[in-house]
Amino acid sequence: MPHDLYLLAGRYRLIERLGQGGAGTVWRAIDEVLDRQVAVKQVRVPEGLDPYARAQFTDRAIHEARSAGRLRDPAIVLIHDVVLEGDQPWIIMDLVTGRSLDKLIKERGPLPPEFVARVGLQVLSALEVAHAHGMLHQDVKPANILLDSDGSAMLTDFGIAAPMGGRGQFGSGGSPGYMAPERLNEQPSGPASDLWSLGASLYTAVEGRAPFERELPAAMAAAVLLHEPPFPARAGRHLGGLLMAMLAKDPAARPTAPQIRQALSAQPATATTPRRRRWWLVPAVLAAVVTLAGSGWYAAAALRVEPETGKYAQAPDPCKLLTDAQAAGIVKGTPDRGATRAGECQWAVDEQPQRRLIVRAWIERPDGDLGGPQVAQRRFASMKATRAAGKGTQGRTTWGAVSDVKGVGESAIIQNSFTFYLNSTESGRSDSIVLFRTSNLLGEVIWHREDVPVSKPADKETAIAAARLVAAALQK
């Protein structure tokens, strides 16, 4: 090994530059302590910062890298180390092979809708894990989606990731044609912003061109803010309708992650979609990525038994899973009931202290050789592991341990969180969340309370009681 190559932190010897973007530069390196290859991200520090602003930027970059390093799930790449040399942050990650989706689009043109839906499902899984831990990706685009040699999709480059609800400390980081309207308007971002970018990426894959394609970045940004994209004709009615909904200007009008997952899972196969030939197998390049536990989407055999759909052919109306009398008994008041969005219902009491009971329900469909109940079981296990890994304090929010709950569906867990108000160390808001599974259905019951004293942050009993009523209604 040539010893004149740069040695970072006395341990990581940089071998070659793999790629460069707005968030920084990725290097292939050798960890000389463990004698293995790793990926090293040299975080780009904005120019022109004074010493105080530069120090603030560096502190935030390190904090967010550490937050990403807390993620423990088979679908997420491990972050091994965060190094600071001078005022330059470096992030040490696993090194994984992959081929970017944008290169495949340039070479192959529009991709089959079924394949695009499969890619979308896997990238969605990565985003859900990040969102569950309060992190936004902020740069979802085809160039950051890799296809591994076995056909699984991977989301790369959390380099400009930021906490939810903020404008993002990396300023204009991101790509104009794939940045949600609220981000271009410098409004607070949320999970819906990442899902908008996912919709734009899948649109590009299935159509062979970006939804707001223009020659100049400024014109592209204006199109995102002011115009509607053409309906993606190659996507078909099912996938095309979903993509148009994901690209809505108003974040509240976009489908939620469970709704997107359900729609992508239901994408019909097309006669022109190759099912056994691995046509996406192409020479691999190295990059630091978020890996996804996925399998090829092609059929395992020409003849096979169709997987079990599950008990639920469609998701039930969550507003019908509790009577108003039951909800009133739970919230100890007279609540206002309303469907806040598809797949979600809320019973709210606005008098002090404010409290809300939220019920969500969605179904999983067969995926390859897995039946709907198996997919739901896998999803439940992944969400359980993700929430368990989130135990601890981040900012003003503390997440409790995940506990199993008996007597609610086939399996259920509960977790409590408490968030201090900005001007208080004595009170805040509390959420007790029950997640449960029955056959191919997943449900969530959230008991939300305001003005909760820190001495009594949890109320698991009420959340569990509500969840038992919801689960009982599903058996009727």
Side-chain angles (χ1 to χ4, degrees):
M1 177 186 300
H3 288 279
D4 57 343
L5 298 175
Y6 185 74
L7 186 65
L8 173 66
R11 175 172 181 173
Y12 306 105
R13 191 169 298 278
L14 306 188
I15 304 301
E16 64 173 324
R17 188 170 65 182
L18 299 175
Q20 184 171 342
T25 303
V26 177
W27 302 81
R28 181 167 65 90
I30 298 293
D31 180 348
E32 296 192 341
V33 173
L34 299 179
D35 191 23
R36 63 176 179 180
Q37 294 193 44
V38 294
V40 176
K41 165 69 74 64
Q42 181 182 8
V43 177
R44 184 183 67 84
V45 180
E47 298 179 358
L49 297 180
D50 60 39
Y52 176 76
R54 190 179 180 96
Q56 279 193 315
F57 175 91
T58 300
D59 288 344
R60 285 194 296 265
I62 292 174
H63 172 74
E64 285 155 19
R66 288 172 175 167
S67 297
R70 295 177 61 212
L71 305 180
R72 288 295 183 270
D73 187 276
I76 299 294
V77 71
L78 288 177
I79 292 180
H80 299 294
D81 199 0
V82 180
V83 173
L84 184 65
E85 284 204 345
D87 51 7
Q88 171 64 61
W90 304 74
I91 303 171
I92 318 302
M93 297 174 283
D94 273 344
L95 190 68
V96 187
T97 62
R99 176 80 168 180
S100 66
L101 180 61
D102 70 327
K103 290 184 178 179
L104 184 60
I105 296 169
K106 291 175 182 177
E107 295 172 1
R108 301 282 181 173
L111 304 177
E114 184 183 10
F115 173 72
V116 172
R118 191 70 64 178
V119 169
L121 279 169
Q122 296 176 65
V123 176
L124 179 64
S125 293
L127 291 175
E128 286 182 297
V129 170
H131 295 166
H133 285 78
M135 299 296 294
L136 301 176
H137 185 278
Q138 293 205 123
D139 199 19
V140 180
K141 59 184 179 181
N144 283 338
I145 298 173
L146 301 188
L147 303 177
D148 206 352
S149 58
D150 67 354
S152 60
M154 300 167 284
L155 180 61
T156 74
D157 201 353
F158 273 75
I160 62 171
M164 291 184 186
R167 290 171 173 78
Q169 76 281 12
F170 291 86
S172 60
S175 304
Y178 297 98
M179 291 173 63
E182 60 270 20
R183 287 203 61 218
L184 290 173
N185 278 326
E186 298 186 353
Q187 297 298 314
S189 302
S193 305
D194 277 348
L195 298 179
W196 189 98
S197 301
L198 174 59
S201 300
L202 300 183
Y203 183 112
T204 302
V206 76
E207 287 293 285
R209 60 178 178 81
F212 301 96
E213 190 173 60
R214 302 290 191 278
E215 291 186 6
L216 299 176
M220 190 178 301
V224 169
L225 292 172
L226 302 174
H227 302 296
E228 297 298 329
F231 189 91
R234 292 184 174 90
R237 180 179 299 178
H238 180 87
L239 180 59
L242 172 66
L243 296 180
M244 293 298 288
M246 293 174 70
L247 293 175
K249 307 296 185 192
D250 182 2
R254 297 169 200 157
T256 62
Q259 292 168 337
I260 294 171
R261 187 188 326 112
Q262 183 170 337
L264 291 175
S265 299
Q267 171 62 32
T270 59
T272 57
T273 302
R275 298 189 64 82
R276 291 185 63 85
R277 181 183 173 205
R278 300 185 185 185
W279 54 267
W280 61 83
L281 292 180
V282 287
V285 295
L286 295 171
V289 300
V290 175
T291 58
L292 297 175
S295 59
W297 55 270
Y298 52 89
L303 297 176
R304 61 180 175 86
V305 177
E306 287 298 321
E308 177 190 0
T309 299
K311 179 178 179 180
Y312 302 93
Q314 61 183 13
D317 181 352
C319 288
K320 296 181 179 179
L321 296 179
L322 284 177
T323 67
D324 288 342
Q326 288 174 327
I330 293 170
V331 302
K332 301 297 189 293
T334 303
D336 292 325
R337 171 171 54 87
T340 47
R341 60 178 64 189
E344 179 180 293
C345 192
Q346 172 181 276
W347 289 263
V349 177
D350 291 331
E351 63 188 35
Q352 298 298 326
Q354 294 181 350
R355 47 210 186 270
R356 297 195 303 272
L357 181 64
I358 301 168
V359 176
R360 298 170 180 161
W362 68 95
I363 63 171
E364 298 288 353
R365 300 184 185 276
D367 184 1
D369 290 329
L370 295 179
Q374 293 172 297
V375 175
Q377 185 175 23
R378 184 174 61 179
R379 174 68 57 183
F380 178 87
S382 175
M383 295 176 74
K384 178 180 179 179
T386 297
R387 296 183 183 191
K391 177 185 176 181
T393 300
Q394 182 174 346
R396 304 182 71 83
T397 301
T398 297
W399 292 88
V402 168
S403 304
D404 291 323
V405 178
K406 296 182 179 180
V408 178
E410 297 178 27
S411 50
I413 58 171
I414 188 169
Q415 185 178 36
N416 194 80
S417 70
F418 183 85
T419 303
F420 281 108
Y421 293 136
L422 290 176
N423 59 350
S424 174
T425 58
E426 301 295 330
S427 63
R429 56 182 179 270
S430 170
D431 287 298
S432 295
I433 305 173
V434 176
L435 174 71
F436 68 92
R437 181 187 70 84
T438 297
S439 185
N440 62 318
L441 180 141
L442 289 169
E444 200 169 45
V445 174
I446 303 171
W447 174 228
H448 175 87
R449 299 177 296 148
E450 297 285 347
D451 297 317
V452 177
V454 68
S455 59
K456 298 181 179 179
D459 183 14
K460 295 184 177 181
E461 292 77 13
T462 299
I464 292 173
R468 285 183 173 143
L469 290 172
V470 169
L474 289 167
Q475 301 301 317
K476 296 178 180 178

